[in-house]
Amino acid sequence: YHTQNIFKDFCLEKVAKATKNDALCHDVSITYRDGCIFGAATAKLDIDACKKINDKRVIDSCIQIVAIATRDLQSCSLVQDKFFNEACVNKITAELALESLDVKHCDNIKTEYQRYGCYLAIAEGKSDLNVCDLIPDSYKDTCYWSVITKKKKDAELCKLITRYDTKNNCYRDIAVSTNKTEICDSISSELGKKYCYVETSRKTKDKSVCKKFKYKKEQDECLIEIATVLPDMSICEAIFEDNIKFYCFYRVGVLTKDVSICEKTKATTF
């Protein structure tokens, strides 16, 4: 097979795609003909042109691309491969569902987890927790969490969530997004509660939040977070434990590029 023939094939393939003319592919060698027809067919969105391809998997891929681009659900039925067939139906149906925010479209999605994802997207789009009830209990909490934290931002609604970890995340996310530290108190996990305090304090830059911690070391570590966010050396001064205080000076000094703050650090072990 001569080099000049390869260049001729490639040239015809590029022109066929650019001009959306699959007839040019008849002069392409059999090795590259399917690729040529595929390019022209998908460029002009022509299902009939896809059918001229020899390789069945390439035909399926071609029809799938054209069907999705034209949102032609009926053409998806022409796809023989089960995976490509389902992908074709799911993609078009999901787009129609999100566009119309109509859950009836989601019902046509063949793959279970994608169908649930469709319900979740519509629940978010409509800010409607009732849509979450269409999802089985094992996935429902994720839907509740998503709508409540992204749309409703109402901590009282977190009570609808049954899983403790998801419920705690709901309280934390709303506390941080609304700058309401008191919401952290609803978290059942002590570790989760502390993390929530730190996250809200970093955002609000309110060092009084650190007093919520029971132990001095925890209060000190909270102060470091605020000191480095601002950055503010004076907050480091309020730290009780020397090692943590010097580490705070170090972090603030690096952030501010202030040599005088570096001088406040002392040789210590961590």
Side-chain angles (χ1 to χ4, degrees):
Y1 194 70
H2 297 293
T3 302
Q4 58 266 37
N5 290 334
I6 294 176
F7 284 125
K8 177 187 174 183
D9 285 344
F10 288 171
C11 182
L12 286 172
E13 184 177 341
K14 295 291 185 184
V15 174
K17 183 176 181 178
T19 59
K20 303 177 183 180
N21 181 8
D22 62 281
L24 295 175
C25 300
H26 294 305
D27 293 326
V28 174
S29 66
I30 192 68
T31 304
Y32 301 105
R33 191 172 297 157
D34 278 355
C36 179
I37 298 172
F38 178 91
T42 53
K44 67 177 179 176
L45 301 177
D46 186 346
I47 295 287
D48 289 332
C50 291
K51 294 176 182 178
K52 297 176 184 178
I53 295 170
N54 287 314
D55 188 304
K56 290 182 179 180
R57 285 187 63 82
V58 180
I59 293 174
D60 282 348
S61 180
C62 183
I63 293 174
Q64 180 198 26
I65 290 171
V66 174
I68 291 172
T70 57
R71 287 189 175 178
D72 182 0
L73 270 173
Q74 192 172 359
S75 291
C76 291
S77 63
L78 299 173
V79 178
Q80 300 299 308
D81 182 89
K82 184 181 178 182
F83 176 80
F84 282 137
N85 180 289
E86 289 187 356
C88 184
V89 172
N90 292 346
K91 177 68 174 175
I92 296 172
T93 304
E95 288 180 356
L96 293 172
L98 291 176
E99 195 174 86
S100 63
L101 293 180
D102 187 343
V103 294
K104 288 187 294 186
H105 289 295
C106 298
D107 297 335
N108 294 322
I109 294 178
K110 297 182 178 183
T111 309
E112 191 176 71
Y113 77 91
Q114 289 184 321
R115 185 164 61 251
Y116 300 155
C118 182
Y119 290 139
L120 188 151
I122 290 180
E124 283 184 8
K126 297 175 73 174
S127 189
D128 186 355
L129 289 169
N130 291 323
V131 178
C132 294
D133 293 331
L134 297 172
I135 301 173
D137 291 341
S138 54
Y139 299 97
K140 191 181 294 182
D141 279 350
T142 300
C143 185
Y144 282 152
W145 166 80
S146 185
V147 175
I148 294 167
T149 58
K150 295 178 183 177
K151 298 292 183 178
K152 301 288 190 182
K153 298 188 184 298
D154 182 352
E156 280 297 306
L157 293 174
C158 294
K159 293 176 181 177
L160 292 171
I161 298 171
T162 55
R163 284 177 57 93
Y164 285 111
D165 55 345
T166 308
K167 183 184 292 186
N168 287 338
N169 288 341
C170 182
Y171 287 127
R172 181 201 64 204
D173 293 344
I174 294 177
V176 174
S177 65
T178 60
N179 296 329
K180 293 180 180 178
T181 309
E182 63 272 17
I183 295 175
C184 297
D185 296 331
S186 298
I187 295 175
S188 60
S189 159
E190 284 303 312
L191 185 61
K193 195 177 293 185
K194 291 173 185 177
Y195 180 73
C196 183
Y197 288 146
V198 170
E199 285 299 298
T200 52
S201 67
R202 280 173 61 86
K203 192 175 177 191
T204 60
K205 301 172 184 177
D206 178 11
K207 65 180 182 180
S208 67
V209 175
C210 299
K211 293 179 181 179
K212 286 182 170 287
F213 289 100
K214 183 178 179 180
Y215 301 105
K216 281 288 185 183
K217 184 175 181 180
E218 292 174 338
Q219 292 178 13
D220 288 349
E221 290 170 346
C222 175
L223 288 170
I224 278 186
E225 295 301 324
I226 300 173
T228 52
V229 167
L230 290 174
D232 183 354
M233 180 197 70
S234 66
I235 295 177
C236 298
E237 299 282 8
I239 291 175
F240 177 77
E241 191 173 315
D242 283 345
N243 280 3
I244 299 176
K245 181 185 293 187
F246 300 148
Y247 181 56
C248 184
F249 286 140
Y250 156 72
R251 286 179 63 176
V252 174
V254 171
L255 287 168
T256 59
K257 301 179 178 65
D258 188 337
V259 176
S260 65
I261 297 177
C262 295
E263 293 295 330
K264 289 182 173 288
T265 62
K266 297 180 181 179
T268 186
T269 56
F270 291 94

